[in-house]
């Protein structure tokens, strides 16, 4: 008898990125973004949760219609990218004026391209 873990709606990991104290995971369906860790700066895209120890779907970062190609996490910021490497959504302190954010986003875009996530 199949368990809930063996159901046909299983999610597999397509991409993962580690921020300062949080983790962002893109499901293989290219729509659901799962997060956990520190969320005090709203980088998880969850409503004001300072800490999430169990993985949870982020409504802010997930996409109901368009495919997400990659996820990026750095310091107190999380972002999703489309197939062109453009930012689709962001959560937390993601201002491009913040030191290191633009460079971290560039590194994430290159990683996505190199690993074939953009296809």
């Amino acid at each position: 008898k199949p368990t809930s873990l063996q159901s046909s709606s299983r999610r597999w990991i397509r991409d993962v990125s580690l921020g300062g104290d949080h983790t962002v995971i893109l499901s293989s369906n290219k729509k659901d973004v799962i997060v956990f860790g520190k969320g005090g700066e709203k980088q998880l895209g969850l409503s004001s949760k300072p800490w999430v120890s169990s993985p949870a779907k982020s409504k802010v970062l997930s996409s109901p219609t368009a495919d997400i190609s990659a996820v990026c996490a750095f310091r107190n910021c999380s972002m999703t990218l489309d197939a062109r490497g453009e930012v689709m959504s962001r959560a937390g302190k993601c201002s491009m004026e913040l030191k290191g954010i633009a460079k971290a986003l560039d590194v994430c875009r290159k990683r996505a391209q190199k690993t074939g996530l953009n296809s």
Side-chain angles (χ1 to χ4, degrees):
K1 181 176 174 181
T3 66
S4 60
L5 294 175
Q6 296 172 328
S7 73
S8 61
S9 64
R10 268 196 286 198
R11 287 187 253 192
W12 300 96
I13 295 173
R14 176 176 171 79
D15 190 25
V16 65
S17 187
L18 307 175
D21 290 317
H22 70 291
T23 301
V24 182
I25 300 167
L26 176 61
S27 176
S28 60
N29 68 8
K30 298 182 183 180
K31 307 252 188 278
D32 296 335
V33 176
I34 311 302
V35 295
F36 60 93
K38 182 180 174 188
E41 304 295 334
K42 300 185 180 180
Q43 64 267 41
L44 301 179
L46 303 172
S47 58
S48 66
K49 296 217 178 201
W51 184 261
V52 176
S53 58
S54 297
K57 181 178 174 180
S58 172
K59 290 182 181 179
V60 171
L61 297 170
S62 295
S63 173
T65 55
D67 283 351
I68 300 167
S69 290
V71 291
C72 308
F74 23 89
R75 291 190 190 142
N76 298 319
C77 172
S78 302
M79 295 185 186
T80 60
L81 303 179
D82 66 13
R84 297 179 320 273
E86 298 297 319
V87 175
M88 295 176 64
S89 61
R90 61 184 77 205
K93 292 188 175 182
C94 299
S95 171
M96 288 302 144
E97 277 67 54
L98 290 173
K99 185 177 181 180
I101 296 289
K103 182 177 179 180
L105 180 57
D106 186 51
V107 168
C108 185
R109 285 177 171 141
K110 288 177 181 173
R111 177 186 58 83
Q113 185 177 24
K114 183 178 179 181
T115 58
L117 292 171
N118 295 34
S119 55

